[in-house]
Amino acid sequence: MGRAFEFRKGRKMKRWATMAKTFTRIGKDIVMAVKEGGPNPEANSRLRAVIQNAKAANMPKENVERAIKKATDKDTANFKEVLFEGYGPHGIAILIETATDNNNRTVANIRSYFNKCNGTLGTQGSVEFMFDHICNFTVKGEGLDIEELELELIDYGAEELFEEEGNLVVYAPFESFGQMQKYFEENNIEIISSGFDRIPQVTKELTEEQQADLDKLLEKIEEDDDVQNVFTTIANN
């Protein structure tokens, strides 16, 4: 198994992955997808992908419909995705993906978390280069010849493929998302969920004490309503 497998295993154990904020995050993903490509899932591949994720998370259909409707409201006119970068205690690089309708508020909040927890909010590009931006797909594994599929998917950019709970997980470069999605849809391979990750190129081990210091910062960041995802260079994080 490769880096993506180890990264995924660590992410699955993260406490915030199962928090109630999941529906809020997906709701914002829907808003961003609709603003980018319109409210029709058939004509908007990004929206199709987010709706699949909503189903995988057992998000009620009415929540999905409400989020699609909300995307056309004037309240979401200033909604945008913003990436924050910085260093936490003990030299751990942190990358924060946000979706916000008030960038000044989000910047002030994120900066305050770093300042209060012995961290430093960095400038654009200060840590992003330390992470590989990749996409992932979980597809139904039933009836698939995995070895044959792997050979096919290499042509579409697949870098790592492994089984997980009876399904198949595929990792590929960020820019391969569209062609991978198209391949699965055209070959009637059911996509259960998909998304994007940032895998650290180099990781750092922390002692329990050091981890506790960092957790104080990560908890503040992850609890912020504008935060969608947090990635760090902690080993097995």
Side-chain angles (χ1 to χ4, degrees), residues 174-192:
F174 172 80
E175 55 273 11
S176 297
F177 184 86
Q179 59 186 17
M180 294 282 283
Q181 182 186 30
K182 187 178 179 185
Y183 174 85
F184 289 131
E185 290 177 345
E186 288 181 347
N187 288 275
N188 297 314
I189 297 172
E190 184 181 341
I191 301 172
I192 296 169

Side-chain angles (χ1 to χ4, degrees), residues 174-235:
F174 172 80
E175 55 273 11
S176 297
F177 184 86
Q179 59 186 17
M180 294 282 283
Q181 182 186 30
K182 187 178 179 185
Y183 174 85
F184 289 131
E185 290 177 345
E186 288 181 347
N187 288 275
N188 297 314
I189 297 172
E190 184 181 341
I191 301 172
I192 296 169
S193 65
S194 60
F196 302 97
D197 284 313
R198 297 177 186 267
I199 298 184
Q201 295 164 359
V202 179
T203 58
K204 184 176 181 179
E205 296 276 356
L206 295 182
T207 65
E208 280 188 34
E209 250 179 44
Q210 291 172 331
Q211 182 70 56
D213 287 342
L214 187 69
D215 281 346
K216 290 174 188 173
L217 172 56
L218 294 180
E219 283 167 12
K220 287 181 182 296
I221 294 171
E222 290 161 2
E223 286 170 5
D224 190 290
D225 287 342
D226 294 333
V227 171
Q228 294 288 88
N229 278 300
V230 182
F231 302 96
T232 77
T233 52
I234 307 170

Side-chain angles (χ1 to χ4, degrees), residues 2-20:
R3 271 197 316 141
F5 174 79
E6 290 301 322
F7 170 82
R8 189 178 182 88
K9 188 171 69 173
R11 294 284 286 181
K12 282 187 76 177
M13 294 168 67
K14 284 285 286 176
R15 63 192 176 281
W16 61 267
T18 54
M19 285 171 58

Side-chain angles (χ1 to χ4, degrees), residues 109-123:
N109 287 346
I110 299 294
R111 180 177 285 116
S112 74
Y113 305 146
F114 277 97
N115 290 344
K116 288 174 184 174
C117 299
N118 298 317
T120 308
L121 181 62
T123 55

